[in-house]
Each structure stands twice: as C-alpha cells, then as structure tokens.
Amino acid sequence: MSYEEWLSSTITDWLFFNSWWLLLPFIMLLVVAAFIVAFVLLLYMISPLISPKPLKLNGAHVVVTGGSSGIGKSIAMECYRQGAFITLVARDESKLVQAKKEVEKCAINDKQVVLCISVDVSKDYRQVESVIKQCQEKLGPVDMLVNCAGTSFSGKFEEVEVEVERFRSLMGVNYLGSVYPTRAVITTMKERRMGRIMFVSSQAGQIGLFGYTAYSPSKFALRGLAESLQMEMKPYNIYVTIAYPPDTDTPGLAEENRTKPLETRLISETSGVTQPEQVAKIVVKDAVQGNFNSSVGPDGYMLSALTCGMSPVTSITEGLQQIVTMGLFRTVALLYLGSFDSIVRRCMIEREQSKAADKRE
C-alpha cells in the first residue's frame, strides 16, 4: 500500500470514528426520549387499573353540610342532576327550605328526595351523630359526605377580635365542623366497604396570604385530616377528596369582603372570582372518581402540584405530572410571591406616607 493510500485510509477511518462520537449525544437523546414516551404510555395504560372504581351517584345518598347556600348548594344541585338522594345540613332553616326548592328543580326522576336538617355541625358531636342517624334511616346509608360547612374572615393578625375569639370560632366551624359529620358516617362506610368523603378547603388552605392568619390555619388543618384519614380508609375502599376552590362568588365571599384589608383584596384580584356552579362540577367529578386533590383552573392546578408533598395520588400519571412540573411551577410561584410582597410593601409605604401627611396638617 502506497503512502497516499495509507494516509487516505487513515483519514477516512478517523473521520468515521469521530463522526460516531459526534452523533452519540443525539443517539442517546433519542433513546432517552423514546424511553420516556414508552414509559408515559405504559403509565397511561395501567393507570385505570390502579385507580378506584368510580362511584355511581344515581340512587346514591349524598349528605352536604353547609348545603343551604354557596358552593354547598351548588354541589347538592350537581349531585341531584346525576340522580342522587340529598340530605342538606345547615343552621338556618329558612335558607334550607329555599335551597331545597332550588335543588328539587334539578331532579331527573320522580323518586329522588331532598331531606333538610337544621343543626350546627361544629358544636355538639352527639347531636351531629343523631341527625346523621336520622337521615340514614330515611334515605339509606351515606354513600358520599360533602363537608362544606364553613365561614371565612380576613383581617390583620393584630386587629383580629379581642381575646382572639375569631381564631377559636373559625377552627371550630371550618375544622371541627368537618370532623364531626365525618366521624358520624365513617363506621357505616367501613362496614359497607365503600364511600366517598369530601372536604372543601380553599386555596388559602394551600398558601398563607396576608390577612388570612385566622382563616388559613383552619383550612390547612383539613389537609392534615384528609391525608391521615385517606391512609386509614383506603383498605376499606373509602376515598377522600380535598377540594381547593379559589375565591368563589358566594354570600360568604361577599361577607368576607366587608372586612378584607386592601393588601388581601389586591392579592385576591390576581386570580379573579369563580362561579359556584363551575366549582361544583369539578369537585363532584373528582370525588366520584376518588381523586384526592381537586383543584379549579390553571392557578389551582399549579398550587396542587406545588403543595402535593406527601399527599396520596390515585393514579401513576398524576404523580408523574407532579414530578415533571414541580420545577417550572416553583419558578412561576416565586414570581407570584415576589409580586405579593411588592403589593404589601407598597401598601405599607402609602399608609405611612398618609399618616405622616395627616400629622403635618
């Protein structure tokens, strides 16, 4: 072999060898991408096999606390449209009567019944247990309990009512008002090896915001209850859903707005207001499916993914989505938090400048 032929062969071999090295990263990227796609498809296919069997609402007995208005009434109407028998529980008898008439308009057959019970679910457990027993005797065992009784309040920490009674009352209504009805139905559900329990929390139960030092803790508490209860009840085919609705156009929001600090109002306006009918459709669907987290809208989805922590999942795909989106959502959340801090700081400066101007006058 001549020198020229040897040199040409050597250069050709070198180029061939190095071209593979240049292509290797792209080949590895394609292999990884193909593996991820195959893995996602596999998860998508097996996910229905490990998810709970959906609850059929047609003929089911659904108890809704706080069912005389707002989200609770809309949830009752949504369940009634799907053929459920409804027990409405609330304190105000006149509102209950009106709510019953509105729910009955959503009937899909003449066998459906709406039962009303007036009781404060946060005061006396024995009384709550008694009324739950009464409604089960009339309409059968409770298939789904919706804990929607609650109240809201916003105000600066140091300005909350004297002797911090507001903190005690909010924890009583928003937390114990869900504990007592749940305790009253859980034994029968375990015996039947089936059931759904929904806790209606709030996005303020996922993130603590200015003005919610009394309200947010009472809603955060529901998550701890829901997570612990789900671990206990899952072997009995009982599934817990915790819903995190945003600001919703209800009488409760109107009442809260009367005392809402400027900072809280400006922060709340960044996400807008949702209609109770929209919230009801989403949370009822999630409860029927047995999903643990129920969120509304893009902001709600992001918050649920960000705050999922050690919360249970009912499908592998849900867990994968949380893993994949966590970093991106955290980046977006930091931008939101920065804007919230800016609002608070700006309001403080304006308030101090106003006070200084008043003193000069």
Side-chain angles (χ1 to χ4, degrees), residues 55-130:
L55 174 71
K56 293 182 180 179
L57 285 180
N58 195 350
H61 180 193
V62 178
V63 174
V64 184
T65 70
S68 62
S69 64
I71 294 175
K73 182 175 71 175
S74 294
I75 289 175
M77 294 169 73
E78 179 63 26
C79 292
Y80 211 61
R81 290 190 188 98
Q82 298 186 38
F85 290 71
I86 303 293
T87 297
L88 296 175
V89 181
R91 292 176 297 180
D92 193 316
E93 289 189 25
S94 60
K95 288 183 179 180
L96 275 171
V97 172
Q98 180 58 37
K100 178 180 179 180
K101 294 178 181 177
E102 294 181 48
V103 173
E104 287 176 336
K105 293 178 181 178
C106 303
I108 62 172
N109 62 66
D110 56 6
K111 295 180 180 180
Q112 289 175 267
V113 176
V114 179
L115 179 66
C116 292
I117 298 178
S118 176
V119 66
D120 187 337
V121 293
S122 67
K123 294 296 183 183
D124 183 352
Y125 170 68
R126 294 304 172 191
Q127 189 177 13
V128 174
E129 185 181 41
S130 176

Side-chain angles (χ1 to χ4, degrees), residues 61-321:
H61 180 193
V62 178
V63 174
V64 184
T65 70
S68 62
S69 64
I71 294 175
K73 182 175 71 175
S74 294
I75 289 175
M77 294 169 73
E78 179 63 26
C79 292
Y80 211 61
R81 290 190 188 98
Q82 298 186 38
F85 290 71
I86 303 293
T87 297
L88 296 175
V89 181
R91 292 176 297 180
D92 193 316
E93 289 189 25
S94 60
K95 288 183 179 180
L96 275 171
V97 172
Q98 180 58 37
K100 178 180 179 180
K101 294 178 181 177
E102 294 181 48
V103 173
E104 287 176 336
K105 293 178 181 178
C106 303
I108 62 172
N109 62 66
D110 56 6
K111 295 180 180 180
Q112 289 175 267
V113 176
V114 179
L115 179 66
C116 292
I117 298 178
S118 176
V119 66
D120 187 337
V121 293
S122 67
K123 294 296 183 183
D124 183 352
Y125 170 68
R126 294 304 172 191
Q127 189 177 13
V128 174
E129 185 181 41
S130 176
V131 298
I132 292 295
K133 183 179 179 181
Q134 291 175 27
C135 76
Q136 291 193 113
E137 289 173 351
K138 294 180 179 179
L139 299 183
V142 177
D143 297 291
M144 183 163 82
L145 169 66
V146 179
N147 290 293
C148 199
T151 185
S152 60
F153 174 82
S154 60
K156 296 179 183 178
F157 183 73
E158 73 276 13
E159 295 175 2
V160 176
E161 293 177 4
V162 180
E163 297 181 356
V164 297
E165 179 58 34
R166 181 71 69 171
F167 293 92
R168 185 182 295 108
S169 64
L170 283 175
M171 190 61 73
V173 175
N174 294 343
Y175 179 66
L176 294 179
S178 292
V179 171
Y180 292 167
T182 302
R183 183 62 183 81
V185 303
I186 206 70
T187 301
T188 304
M189 284 187 176
K190 287 177 68 175
E191 291 172 353
R192 299 174 65 216
R193 294 293 197 275
M194 64 166 291
R196 294 287 191 274
I197 296 172
M198 183 198 300
F199 298 104
V200 179
S201 180
S202 164
Q203 286 187 354
Q206 295 173 294
I207 174 174
L209 297 174
F210 188 105
Y212 285 141
T213 52
Y215 177 65
S216 279
S218 67
K219 290 298 188 177
F220 266 87
L222 290 175
R223 173 173 173 167
L225 172 61
E227 289 187 2
S228 303
L229 187 64
Q230 178 63 99
M231 191 172 290
E232 289 187 24
M233 295 299 111
K234 191 174 181 179
Y236 297 93
N237 194 37
I238 300 168
Y239 287 88
V240 175
T241 297
I242 181 162
Y244 299 107
D247 279 349
T248 307
D249 187 12
T250 64
L253 180 64
E255 179 66 23
E256 177 195 329
N257 286 338
R258 293 174 57 189
T259 61
K260 185 173 285 184
L262 175 61
E263 293 90 338
T264 312
R265 186 168 69 251
L266 292 174
I267 290 172
S268 298
E269 288 173 355
T270 61
S271 61
V273 178
T274 308
Q275 294 302 309
E277 296 80 11
Q278 179 186 359
V279 173
K281 287 182 181 294
I282 293 171
V283 300
V284 168
K285 180 181 178 182
D286 284 329
V288 165
Q289 295 294 330
N291 296 332
F292 182 77
N293 283 304
S294 181
S295 59
V296 179
D299 287 349
Y301 177 78
M302 182 180 74
L303 271 176
S304 290
L306 273 173
T307 60
C308 60
M310 290 288 288
S311 62
V313 295
T314 45
S315 72
I316 300 177
T317 49
E318 180 187 3
L320 182 64
Q321 288 169 354

